[in-house]
Amino acid sequence: GAGVSQTPSNKVTEKGKYVELRCDPISGHTALYWYRQSLGQGPEFLIYFQGTGAADDSGLPNDRFFAVRPEGSVSTLKIQRTERGDSAVYLCASSRDSGHYNEQFFGPGTRLTVL
Amino acid sequence: GENVEQHPSTLSVQEGDSAVIKCTYSDSASNYFPWYKQELGKRPQLIIDIRSNVGEKKDQRIAVTLNKTAKHFSLHITETQPEDSAVYFCAAPIQLYNNNDMRFGAGTRLTVKP
């Protein structure tokens, strides 16, 4: 079946602009995660959804970052007033959110470059 | 909050040798510990995981051991091959009874020299 998809694959923007990154999880996966990965680093947790609600948003670095998942499927990560330090690969993952099946399936990522 | 520390950050071995990567975690209630492999330019993929009701799990050349008392778990790769070269990440949950809320280690870059 189809895996997790993310669009766009690459996004170049100018400092101060607004960007939206989209994630399509595996069908039926109720848990969805956003991570940020800089070169040579591990995935840095941003936010985790269970269904439509954010179960843990403690990783969002500041109020310029916001994410939604209005229908419990597709999610959008929104970044306002982008800064050069926001440049990274943004990874989305989904999982079945059940007691024994916790494997997170990652998307290919969106490489964000803020000039 | 949960701290997941991973060592070493880089590891270089000769083909055929073993490689061991270790992670420590801080929340004694954690009970699920996965390992992910990320090849260059690709997405992380789960290679093995372990739950706290067992101390070791094997899958061919890969094994994971868990020491709950010491709060650490390790990835063991035997008979390493060049295609094992990648970055490996451990992860651990930070919420009791919720294995979905995970934090990742900083990664270990493994290089297997032919």
Side-chain angles (χ1 to χ4, degrees):
Chain A
V4 178
S5 62
Q6 292 184 245
T7 54
S9 55
N10 277 285
K11 176 70 178 178
V12 180
T13 191
E14 293 179 343
K15 180 174 177 291
K17 298 290 189 184
Y18 168 81
V19 297
E20 289 190 353
L21 312 180
R22 176 185 166 114
C23 173
D24 282 82
I26 293 173
S27 177
H29 280 195
T30 54
L32 184 145
Y33 316 81
W34 283 101
Y35 297 92
R36 178 168 67 177
Q37 189 174 32
S38 300
L39 194 62
Q41 300 295 314
E44 175 195 358
F45 173 80
L46 297 178
I47 187 170
Y48 146 53
F49 287 90
Q50 277 185 289
T52 60
D56 183 352
D57 64 358
S58 63
L60 294 177
N62 51 60
D63 61 5
R64 296 187 297 105
F65 288 74
F66 190 70
V68 296
R69 195 185 185 201
E71 297 177 359
S73 179
V74 170
S75 176
T76 304
L77 178 66
K78 308 180 181 195
I79 310 174
Q80 298 178 318
R81 304 184 303 280
T82 51
E83 300 178 356
R84 293 194 179 89
D86 298 335
S87 297
V89 175
Y90 288 80
L91 291 169
C92 175
S94 70
S95 73
R96 286 167 58 174
D97 187 16
S98 75
H100 290 282
Y101 297 97
N102 305 112
E103 178 180 356
Q104 293 189 21
F105 294 85
F106 283 84
T110 293
R111 182 176 298 279
L112 176 65
T113 303
V114 182
L115 301 176
Chain B
E2 178 69 38
N3 232 5
V4 181
E5 297 195 359
Q6 186 172 342
H7 305 279
S9 56
T10 61
L11 179 59
S12 182
V13 299
Q14 286 294 135
E15 183 177 359
D17 288 351
S18 294
V20 181
I21 304 169
K22 181 175 174 178
C23 275
T24 60
Y25 59 96
S26 57
D27 188 344
S28 57
S30 297
N31 62 2
Y32 171 69
F33 307 94
W35 284 93
Y36 286 77
K37 176 183 180 182
Q38 187 175 28
E39 297 178 357
L40 188 63
K42 297 192 176 179
R43 67 194 80 182
Q45 290 191 303
L46 181 76
I47 54 171
I48 195 167
D49 56 15
I50 192 169
R51 298 185 187 274
S52 59
N53 57 344
V54 296
E56 183 176 8
K57 182 177 177 181
K58 285 185 179 179
D59 182 3
Q60 300 182 359
R61 296 186 297 107
I62 295 172
V64 54
T65 58
L66 172 64
N67 184 326
K68 287 216 73 177
T69 303
K71 291 191 283 188
H72 66 72
F73 57 109
S74 299
L75 177 69
H76 305 254
I77 306 175
T78 58
E79 301 171 31
T80 54
Q81 300 169 3
E83 52 264 38
D84 295 330
S85 296
V87 181
Y88 292 82
F89 297 102
C90 62
I94 65 162
Q95 287 189 41
L96 187 62
Y97 305 128
N98 184 353
N99 290 332
N100 294 309
D101 205 354
M102 308 286 293
R103 296 296 182 269
F104 282 77
T108 297
R109 180 174 299 279
L110 174 65
T111 303
V112 180
K113 299 177 183 176

